[in-house]
């Protein structure tokens, strides 16, 4: 996402270490020779407990440079980690050695490399799957070989991408989310507490995700204000990793307010609602895909000048996807990052089939308004309510209104991730009016609900 400087350096090239000595054997079958540990100034190898050299690693967002390192012999090495990224990173070796560096800082530690070599990763959730992996080998390594957890190895990060998740019959029942849109907040200046909370959420019958959330729910709370209002959102990170927030309803430089909020830290994000519409907010910490896919998103509604006309019912629906890992773990980043995404569930307001199991009551012949947002992170929406025609659609500021000269209506509203709309219609009679994304492969994965008009029976 171009709004985050943290993503600019995601695909940094592998660089040779400054001050390296040529200990790579001439016959090593590398197309590009790996970097080599630097023995300059290191104690003699005969010194008890001494280090043999220095391994220098640079961490960016989201890569290590170099990621392939060769040392001349097994033994203890000093590790120098320089974090050039915008968020905290670490280098975690397979033996449990961890070196942590904050953004823009350096840190060091000592690791013992065995004769078989050792792999390393950044252990912050999602970072290894996004490419923060590396390897230290001793001497030279045959072309095409790999270590567990490295690209080309048979091990699967998280143990989940190799197969479908398994339903747990003992999983807690899901908590039904009220689909009703909240009222407009009174006043012109709003102070909103939005804690960042990690919590287990049942996202479908038998499936639990350890979600990262704004306010403890997925999606986060709906914020509804008037055009021109000032919004101050107070965030406290109660989780175990860094997060951030981006309000699409705001106008601010990405390096001003979209900052890293470390565990235990607080931050106040302030903006003036200068444009009406339905807007997305989300975490933008790298990899943003992982943070959004794991639940960190929500909706802002900004009323236009003069407000919206009164209707009988209003609802707020957010379409999103779940890419399941193991039970009670975060989503599987590898699945979410696929170029041809295949989510396990596509849902409205965080939970598969919740409004099919619990139909939403509307007034027969009444006026229904739906605020609909596609939070993605990757799948489009074709929002459709079976048995109705939309006479009002305001999509990204472009409006279809009742009584237009051509007599036009709409059957579905197409939304790409981060797009939203306001839709209005009137159920003509008692009965059931399913709402879906008209991509029916996702309807069977949970993207369906029902508006029940009147008593739900058209024959009464």
């Amino acid at each position: 996402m171009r709004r985050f400087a943290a993503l600019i350096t995601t695909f940094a090239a592998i660089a040779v270490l400054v001050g390296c000595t040529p200990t790579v054997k001439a016959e090593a079958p590398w197309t590009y020779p790996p970097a080599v540990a630097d023995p300059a100034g290191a104690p003699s190898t005969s010194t008890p407990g001494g280090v043999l050299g220095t391994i220098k690693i640079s961490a960016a967002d989201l890569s290590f440079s170099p990621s392939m390192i060769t040392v001349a012999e097994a033994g203890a090495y000093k590790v120098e980690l320089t974090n050039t990224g915008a968020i905290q990173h670490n280098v975690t070796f397979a033996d449990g050695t961890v070196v942590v560096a904050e953004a823009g800082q350096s840190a060091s530690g000592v690791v013992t490399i065995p004769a078989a070599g050792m792999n390393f990763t950044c252990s912050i959730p999602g970072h290894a799957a996004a490419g923060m992996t590396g390897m230290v080998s001793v001497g030279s390594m045959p072309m095409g070989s790999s270590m567990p957890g490295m690209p080309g190895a048979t091990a699967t990060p998280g143990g989940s991408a190799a197969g479908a998740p398994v339903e747990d019959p003992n999983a807690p029942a899901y908590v039904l989310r009220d689909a009703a849109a909240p009222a407009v907040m009174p006043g012109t200046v709003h102070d909103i507490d939005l804690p960042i909370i990690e919590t287990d959420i049942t996202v479908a019958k038998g499936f639990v995700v350890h979600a990262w959330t704004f306010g403890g729910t997925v999606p986060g709370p709906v914020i509804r204000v008037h055009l021109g209002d000032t919004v101050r959102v107070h965030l406290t990170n109660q989780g175990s990793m860094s997060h951030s927030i981006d309000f699409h309803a705001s106008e601010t430089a990405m390096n001003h307010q979209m900052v890293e909020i470390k565990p235990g830290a607080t931050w106040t994000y302030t903006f003036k609602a200068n444009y009406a519409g339905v807007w997305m907010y989300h975490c933008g910490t790298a990899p943003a895909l992982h943070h959004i896919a794991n639940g960190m998103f929500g909706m802002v509604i900004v009323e236009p000048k003069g407000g919206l006309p009164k209707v009988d019912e209003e609802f707020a629906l957010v379409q999103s996807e779940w890419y399941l890992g193991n039970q009670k773990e975060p989503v599987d980043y590898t699945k979410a990052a696929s170029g041809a995404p295949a989510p396990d569930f596509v849902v409205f307001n965080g939970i598969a089939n919740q409004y099919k199991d619990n139909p939403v009551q509307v007034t027969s012949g009444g006026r229904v308004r739906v605020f609909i947002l596609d939070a993605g992170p990757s799948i489009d929406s074709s929002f459709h309510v079976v048995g109705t025609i939309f006479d009002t659609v305001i999509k990204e500021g472009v409006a279809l209104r009742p009584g237009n000269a051509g007599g036009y209506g709409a059957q579905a509203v197409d939304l790409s991730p981060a797009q939203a709309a306001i839709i209005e219609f009137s159920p003509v009679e008692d009965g059931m009016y399913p709402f879906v994304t008209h991509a029916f492969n996702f309807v069977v994965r949970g993207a369906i609900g029902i508006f029940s008009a009147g008593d739900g029976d058209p024959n009464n």
Side-chain angles (χ1 to χ4, degrees):
M1 181 178 294
R2 66 175 181 269
R3 303 186 75 175
F4 298 96
L7 298 181
I8 296 175
T9 54
T10 299
F11 302 105
I14 295 175
V16 178
L17 292 171
V18 177
C20 293
T21 55
T23 59
V24 180
K25 297 181 180 178
E27 68 274 18
W30 294 91
T31 303
Y32 299 98
V36 186
D38 178 9
S44 167
T45 57
S46 61
T47 303
V51 297
L52 303 179
T54 301
I55 297 173
K56 297 180 180 180
I57 302 172
S58 177
D61 303 319
L62 295 156
S63 64
F64 284 126
S65 178
S67 60
M68 297 296 182
I69 300 168
T70 296
V71 297
E73 57 184 305
Y77 288 84
K78 181 180 180 181
V79 178
E80 292 183 354
L81 175 64
T82 300
N83 184 355
T84 63
I87 58 176
Q88 183 192 86
H89 290 297
N90 66 60
V91 56
T92 299
F93 290 89
D95 68 347
T97 300
V98 181
V99 179
V100 181
E102 300 295 337
Q105 299 183 17
S106 298
S108 63
V110 176
V111 65
T112 300
I113 304 298
M118 185 181 295
N119 65 287
F120 58 89
T121 68
C122 179
S123 64
I124 295 174
H127 288 202
M132 296 196 76
T133 61
M135 178 190 306
V136 179
S137 59
V138 177
S140 61
M141 193 169 186
M143 179 62 69
S145 63
S146 60
M147 298 180 186
M150 296 300 298
T154 57
T156 301
S160 59
V166 178
E167 180 178 346
D168 178 6
N170 297 314
Y174 64 74
V175 177
L176 176 65
R177 170 118 175 194
D178 187 354
V184 182
M185 300 178 71
T188 59
V189 179
H190 312 288
D191 286 278
I192 300 168
D193 289 324
L194 199 62
I196 296 169
I197 300 170
E198 298 178 6
T199 185
D200 289 344
I201 293 179
T202 299
V203 301
K205 184 179 180 293
F207 296 95
V208 178
V209 171
H210 187 66
W212 309 328
T213 76
F214 292 112
T217 64
V218 176
V222 176
I223 299 171
R224 187 173 182 180
V225 300
H226 290 100
L227 186 70
D229 286 1
T230 296
V231 182
R232 295 192 294 240
V233 181
H234 307 284
L235 301 113
T236 300
N237 189 349
Q238 301 177 13
S240 61
M241 57 186 295
S242 293
H243 295 288
S244 61
I245 196 165
D246 172 13
F247 283 95
H248 288 195
S250 72
E251 298 170 284
T252 183
M254 65 90 187
N255 58 344
H256 178 204
Q257 298 203 74
M258 303 172 201
V259 301
E260 177 186 14
I261 309 171
K262 298 177 182 178
T266 60
W267 176 252
T268 298
Y269 190 117
T270 302
F271 68 93
K272 188 173 182 180
N274 290 326
Y275 292 89
V278 180
W279 309 91
M280 182 177 177
Y281 67 84
H282 63 89
C283 180
T285 298
L289 169 63
H290 199 197
H291 290 244
I292 297 171
N294 208 47
M296 301 198 76
F297 54 84
M299 174 189 287
V300 174
I301 302 169
V302 180
E303 291 263 3
K305 290 181 179 179
L308 292 167
K310 182 177 175 56
V311 294
D312 293 286
E313 290 94 17
E314 291 183 314
F315 303 100
L317 299 176
V318 180
Q319 179 179 312
S320 62
E321 304 131 41
W322 288 113
Y323 300 85
L324 299 185
N326 294 324
Q327 292 280 359
K328 296 186 177 181
E329 291 185 0
V331 297
D332 189 307
Y333 179 82
T334 302
K335 290 164 67 173
S338 171
D344 296 285
F345 295 108
V346 177
V347 300
F348 293 116
N349 288 349
I351 300 168
N353 298 315
Q354 63 175 324
Y355 304 123
K356 177 184 175 185
D357 301 340
N358 305 274
V360 178
Q361 191 67 37
V362 296
T363 302
S364 182
R367 192 83 179 143
V368 179
R369 176 180 294 135
V370 179
F371 303 98
I372 176 71
L373 165 69
D374 179 14
S378 300
I379 300 296
D380 290 350
S381 178
S382 177
F383 187 75
H384 172 69
V385 181
V386 178
T388 72
I389 293 176
F390 306 150
D391 60 28
T392 299
V393 176
I394 306 171
K395 175 190 171 185
E396 297 289 292
V398 179
L400 167 73
R401 301 285 190 180
N404 62 80
Y408 291 106
Q411 60 196 310
V413 174
D414 58 317
L415 301 172
S416 293
Q419 288 191 315
I422 303 171
I423 297 161
E424 295 179 14
F425 62 92
S426 295
V428 297
E429 60 183 354
D430 288 2
M432 300 294 187
Y433 297 83
F435 57 89
V436 299
T437 175
H438 217 276
F440 278 100
N441 56 330
F442 298 131
V443 171
V444 297
R445 300 187 188 192
I448 181 172
I450 297 173
F451 289 123
S452 178
D455 66 3
D457 187 349
N459 298 312
N460 284 345

